[in-house]
């Protein structure tokens, strides 16, 4: 016969159970409905009021909109986010909450504590299951960074010591977007993230397109800075579509006639060069050096032929436009006669940081580029990143991160078919297959092209004041982040909601401070102080007019 267990064995089990029960906080509600990702629980209003005075800030916030709660299922804890609250019965203090499940962790048998948290839910609770507040130690486990490469960018709200981590490979592998209204600290936050990436990967390859000249001040110590004075971007790197955007001035049927003439003459001009003559099947898009003088001579030659398909007007339009651009000093950074040599390898090395030499980021300041060709310059840079990735597929891989500030200017919702919108849209859809990551920074996400934001695997949303922008971001974010999204209009400066591939679960973050020398030059003018300063106005005006007339700095 099997022996009965000794009496002291029962005492040990009973004592362990009592300790475990004592370690658990008091429940604050019960589950009333389970419906997949979203369910309902009922809180006691009086209990929430008492809980708000708890010394642990995480416990004190439990039960509020955007906070987290936990529920036990077997030997596991489920973590859920509170999406919304509704007072059902004032007399009884019954508060109904909609919750979204975020993930689950194991329960330590003796203490009842949460450990080994992971995203996703394998078992759901049953109606009647008790709901408990989260503690700081629970939140440490939830947001603890695992062994994957990551950067720390701030602290998890509402704590000050739990660090918020972004998983770099997951974030960059599927693109990211940083969104926020003007004045929320968006530029400083972007600089912080890029500084942390550069510190993690000092031999990385990051290209940032800076339309306002803000970021050069932030990356003087660890970045390569380019503007119209040293960019030296050869015009012959343009493909045919970009040539058309620069050289063609007509629309409709006339534009097609002009384009046909340009294609024929451009191909002939490329073929005349030494590099072009060595390529058996040369195309009009091939980045082969050619002389602008050869192009205009060929146009002149075609115009003189008796069997040409049209009158001389298209030829004259093209020739005049090319000569006009050659003579304009504002275009010197691109159309200078000094840029005819085959410097493509040197250009790619400089811009893509190959090798990085401890300066892994290129800041390309396009604020001094004439507005007529700004989009073409951005299109060229973006396309070259993508084309380099495609044509180097059989080589040792060198992934590149392309960061585009003011992205809504280049990928607009009502795009008219511009080359920059097309290439950035293609990178958003296909870039990750070739090792190209896209980082979009914008203050107007609703003005972005349809579908581009949904291609971003990680979304970092700061305060958005516009209802349309909020709705657009809400549609792009996963279901489990809805409770966080509702707090977007109430975020303070330099706070954000992060969801997607770069984080374990949706998270509200307060960004770290950034040293003054690492901040972009994006501070607002202090009117109350600057308007007190007087003197030297005549010198200011004289110097400004001189630069204005010279179209330079």
């Amino acid at each position: 016969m099997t022996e009965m267990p000794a009496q002291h064995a029962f005492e040990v089990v009973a004592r362990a159970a009592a300790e475990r029960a004592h370690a658990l906080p008091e429940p604050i509600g019960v589950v009333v409905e389970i419906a997949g990702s979203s369910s309902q629980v009922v809180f006691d209003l009086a209990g929430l009021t008492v809980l708000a005075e708890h010394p642990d800030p995480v416990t004190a916030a439990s039960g509020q909109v955007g906070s987290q709660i936990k529920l036990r299922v077997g030997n596991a804890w489920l973590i859920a986010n509170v999406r919304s609250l509704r007072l059902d019965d004032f007399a009884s203090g019954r508060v109904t909450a909609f919750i979204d499940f975020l993930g689950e962790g194991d329960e330590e048998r003796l203490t009842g504590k949460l450990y080994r948290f992971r995203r996703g839910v394998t078992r759901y609770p049953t109606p009647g299951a008790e709901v408990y507040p989260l503690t700081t130690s629970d939140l440490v486990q939830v947001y603890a960074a695992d062994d994957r490469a990551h950067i720390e960018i701030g602290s998890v709200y509402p704590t000050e010591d739990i660090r918020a981590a972004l998983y770099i490979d997951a974030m960059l592998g599927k693109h990211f977007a940083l969104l926020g209204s003007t004045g929320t600290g968006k530029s400083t936050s972007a600089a912080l993230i890029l500084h942390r990436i550069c510190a993690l990967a000092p031999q990385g390859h990051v290209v940032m397109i800076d339309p306002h000249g803000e970021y050069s001040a932030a990356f003087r110590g660890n970045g390569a800075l380019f503007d119209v004075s040293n960019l030296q971007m050869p015009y012959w790197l343009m493909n045919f579509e970009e040539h058309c955007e620069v050289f063609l001035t007509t629309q409709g049927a006339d534009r097609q006639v002009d384009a046909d003439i340009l294609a024929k003459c451009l191909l002939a001009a490329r073929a005349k060069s030494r590099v072009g003559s060595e390529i058996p099947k040369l195309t009009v898009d091939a980045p082969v050096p050619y002389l602008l003088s050869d192009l205009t001579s060929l146009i002149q030659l075609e115009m003189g032929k008796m069997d040409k398909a049209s009158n001389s007007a298209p030829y004259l339009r093209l020739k005049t436009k090319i000569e006009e651009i050659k003579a304009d000093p504002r275009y010197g950074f691109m159309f200078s006669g000094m840029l005819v040599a085959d410097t493509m390898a040197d250009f790619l090395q400089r811009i893509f940081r190959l090798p990085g030499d401890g300066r892994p980021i290129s800041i390309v300041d396009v604020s001094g580029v004439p507005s007529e060709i700004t989009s073409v310059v951005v299109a060229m840079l973006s396309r070259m990143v993508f084309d380099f990735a495609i044509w180097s597929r059989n080589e040792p891989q060198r992934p590149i991160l392309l960061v585009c500030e003011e992205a809504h200017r280049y990928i607009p919702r009502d795009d008219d078919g511009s080359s920059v919108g097309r290439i950035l849209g293609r990178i958003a859809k296909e870039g990750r297959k070739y090792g190209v990551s896209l980082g979009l920074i914008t203050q107007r996400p609703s003005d972005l092209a349809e579908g581009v934001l949904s291609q971003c695997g990680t979304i970092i949303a700061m305060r958005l004041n516009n209802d349309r922008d909020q709705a657009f971001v809400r549609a792009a974010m996963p279901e489990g982040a809805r409770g966080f999204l509702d707090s977007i209009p109430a975020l303070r400066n330099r706070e954000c909601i992060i969801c997607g591939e770069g984080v374990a679960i949706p998270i509200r973050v307060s960004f770290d401070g950034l040293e003054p020398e690492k901040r972009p030059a994006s501070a607002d003018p202090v009117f109350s102080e600057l308007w007190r300063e007087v003197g030297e106005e005549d010198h200011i005006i004289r110097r400004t007019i001189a630069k204005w007339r010279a179209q330079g700095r």
Side-chain angles (χ1 to χ4, degrees), residues 48-123:
L48 292 181
T49 304
V50 172
L51 196 66
E53 299 175 2
H54 198 281
D56 185 336
V58 176
T59 302
S62 287
Q64 299 177 13
V65 171
S67 68
Q68 288 81 44
I69 55 174
K70 62 182 181 180
L71 307 85
R72 187 197 283 115
V73 178
N75 59 351
W77 283 112
L78 297 191
I79 304 299
N81 185 63
V82 179
R83 186 198 300 182
S84 64
L85 295 171
R86 183 182 70 237
L87 181 62
D88 281 344
D89 186 353
F90 185 79
S92 64
R94 176 188 169 99
V95 176
T96 299
F98 287 89
I99 63 171
D100 299 308
F101 291 113
L102 300 174
E104 63 186 11
D106 297 331
E107 180 189 20
E108 200 171 68
R109 230 162 49 86
L110 293 179
T111 64
K113 290 182 178 179
L114 168 78
Y115 74 102
R116 210 171 67 182
F117 177 81
R118 56 225 174 249
R119 183 188 282 186
V121 175
T122 54
R123 293 175 60 191

Side-chain angles (χ1 to χ4, degrees), residues 176-250:
F176 71 92
L178 174 58
L179 319 169
S181 296
T182 301
T184 58
K186 184 171 77 278
S187 298
T188 304
S189 302
L192 170 69
I193 292 171
L194 292 175
H195 272 299
R196 297 286 160 87
I197 291 174
C198 291
L200 180 72
Q203 296 299 327
H205 315 287
V206 184
V207 179
M208 181 173 201
I209 296 168
D210 178 11
H212 301 305
E214 296 177 342
Y215 290 89
S216 294
F219 292 93
R220 292 191 190 284
N222 61 342
L225 312 180
F226 300 97
D227 56 20
V228 292
S229 67
N230 66 345
L231 185 56
Q232 295 179 329
M233 175 182 280
Y235 58 87
W236 47 264
L237 288 174
M238 292 190 294
N239 63 14
F240 177 63
E241 182 182 12
E242 291 151 4
H243 272 88
C244 288
E245 287 194 31
V246 176
F247 292 150
L248 303 191
T249 58
T250 52

Side-chain angles (χ1 to χ4, degrees), residues 389-464:
I390 288 176
W391 295 109
S392 64
R393 288 195 75 177
N394 295 325
E395 301 293 335
Q397 199 169 21
R398 298 290 184 268
I400 298 174
L401 167 61
L402 176 65
V403 183
C404 190
E405 173 70 275
E406 296 282 350
H408 59 276
R409 287 174 50 177
Y410 307 116
I411 329 173
R413 189 181 185 89
D414 52 350
D415 187 23
D416 56 356
S418 66
S419 57
V420 64
R422 195 152 36 245
I423 186 59
L424 287 175
R426 189 178 178 196
I427 291 174
K429 293 172 186 172
E430 306 173 30
R432 64 187 184 86
K433 301 175 185 176
Y434 303 103
V436 178
S437 178
L438 185 63
L440 301 178
I441 305 172
T442 180
Q443 61 197 25
R444 293 305 306 270
S446 61
D447 288 346
L448 278 174
E450 196 76 40
V452 170
L453 195 59
S454 62
Q455 298 289 337
C456 295
T458 303
I459 295 179
I460 305 168
M462 305 184 76
R463 188 174 70 249
L464 291 164

